[in-house]
Amino acid sequence: MAEGFARVFRAGDFESFSAGTQPRQPDPYAIRVMSEIGIDIAGRCSKGIDSLNSRFFDLTVTVCSNAHDTCPKPPAGSRILHQPFEDPPALTVDMTDEEVILNVYRRVRNEIRDFISRLEVLPAPVAVQSGDASGFWGAGTHEHHETLGVQHA
């Protein structure tokens, strides 16, 4: 969900990437609640965090405690921001009422939307490593601990 918001609402500020500690296809409920507000994440899936190891990122944002604890440390010079969100699949694991489940996903979706809309635009990188002037931040709300990366536009 975080990558979907960043791609739609912050495309002029940075480019988004998504990776996870346990990459999977997007959660069907996440797809539904994002489509309710006109954002299609159905064709997206997170990549493994290892797939981004060759990039330099100015900022890494984690949004679940497991990702914050288990993600590899970014290279020297990268900043880390931890913004925890509740994990909808974990919150709804014992729920059976679909509307109640969707309401949990909607609440977390809205919290993520608000966070991304308030996220300060990253300053242009001062030091560039390996010729790559990219910025990254990780974010996630699914039990696979998604991370979301952004690169300066």
Side-chain angles (χ1 to χ4, degrees):
M1 288 192 280
E3 180 184 13
F5 282 123
R7 288 186 178 275
V8 171
F9 297 137
R10 303 301 298 268
D13 299 328
F14 41 72
E15 182 178 349
S16 303
F17 300 90
S18 181
T21 57
Q22 298 173 356
R24 298 187 184 141
Q25 295 295 322
D27 182 297
Y29 289 115
I31 292 170
R32 272 181 73 179
V33 299
M34 292 297 283
S35 70
E36 291 174 354
I37 59 170
I39 300 175
D40 181 10
I41 62 169
R44 298 270 176 201
C45 68
S46 64
K47 294 156 284 306
I49 290 175
D50 293 342
S51 70
L52 300 176
N53 280 347
S54 64
R55 301 191 67 106
F56 174 78
F57 300 113
D58 299 303
L59 177 65
T60 299
V61 179
T62 59
V63 296
C64 63
S65 59
N66 189 17
H68 181 67
D69 296 337
T70 61
C71 285
K73 297 298 179 210
S78 293
R79 294 182 305 157
I80 299 172
L81 172 63
H82 180 57
Q83 174 62 50
F85 294 100
E86 291 183 289
D87 182 24
L91 293 173
T92 60
V93 69
D94 294 324
M95 295 180 182
T96 57
D97 184 309
E98 188 168 82
E99 193 58 32
V100 173
I101 293 169
L102 287 169
N103 283 334
V104 170
Y105 276 78
R106 288 177 185 123
R107 179 181 55 78
V108 175
R109 173 201 66 196
N110 294 343
E111 291 170 1
I112 294 169
R113 177 200 60 212
D114 294 345
F115 168 73
I116 290 176
S117 69
R118 289 189 317 267
L119 185 67
E120 291 184 30
V121 176
L122 302 174
V126 175
V128 177
Q129 184 173 343
S130 303
D132 184 358
S134 61
F136 174 87
W137 58 286
T141 60
H142 307 294
E143 64 184 42
H144 65 280
H145 310 295
E146 177 187 357
T147 60
L148 173 68
V150 295
Q151 178 179 33
H152 292 287

